[in-house]
Amino acid sequence: AVLAQIDQALFDHELIKVKSGTETPEDRFATAEAIAAGAEGSQLAQILGRTLLLYRRHPEVDKYRDRAMGADLKIADVRSEQGDQPGALAMYQDALELWPDNAVARYYAARAAEQAGDFEASLEQYRQSIRADAAATDAGLRLARTLTAEGDAEEALSALSQHLKAH
């Protein structure tokens, strides 16, 4: 019954505190291990005194994250098409908070920043896109082109070389 309540609490909240009634440190650790093992997929995050901190990722969190990010990206695309590059960039940033390693979202954020004239931001977003997945976009080519325009031929050549290796 206790494990069922812990399981439901983890489903509802992802991170929960559980008070242990044991007095000795050895008993607390044994209790913590037993509870974590009984709550499938949970992880013992911390033991502080007689308080156990358990974590289990919600099984549907990715579904909601993807929906929210998709909505942000659609709004960003519309703003970009309407010529509102600062607004588009703000929406891309919102999407990237939900999924920071999304190479395609970073690529479009870089393009919006570039079109808005914020070349520092575009360079950073192109670099982040390449780090996330160099083969997903032509961020390496655009980075090389922007660096060339900025007068940094050596780094541009390095970006181009990295792009060619990825493709």
Side-chain angles (χ1 to χ4, degrees), residues 30-159:
T31 300
E33 289 174 13
I35 290 173
E40 188 177 328
S42 71
Q43 298 173 340
L44 180 63
Q46 183 180 27
I47 300 175
L48 186 59
R50 290 186 293 167
T51 302
L52 314 174
L53 191 61
L54 294 175
Y55 170 78
R56 181 176 65 202
R57 185 181 181 106
H58 193 282
E60 297 179 351
V61 73
D62 289 334
K63 177 173 78 175
Y64 296 117
R65 179 194 69 180
D66 290 349
R67 285 182 186 163
M69 192 186 107
D72 286 344
L73 290 176
K74 286 178 184 173
I75 293 168
D77 290 344
V78 168
R79 287 187 175 174
S80 182
E81 288 174 11
Q82 293 173 341
D84 178 13
Q85 300 312 319
L89 185 55
M91 292 308 299
Y92 286 124
Q93 294 292 25
D94 287 349
L96 289 168
E97 286 180 23
L98 297 170
W99 196 347
D101 60 346
N102 185 309
V104 175
R106 290 214 175 265
Y107 171 79
Y108 283 112
R111 294 203 46 196
E114 186 177 1
Q115 291 171 1
D118 188 347
F119 296 108
E120 272 188 50
S122 72
L123 290 172
E124 181 57 28
Q125 291 297 342
Y126 282 136
R127 287 184 181 112
Q128 292 292 334
S129 175
I130 293 165
R131 284 185 197 115
D133 186 354
T137 66
D138 69 345
L141 290 175
R142 290 186 175 273
L143 176 62
R145 187 185 70 200
T146 305
L147 288 167
T148 300
E150 295 278 312
D152 193 345
E154 187 175 321
E155 194 174 341
L157 186 58
S158 175

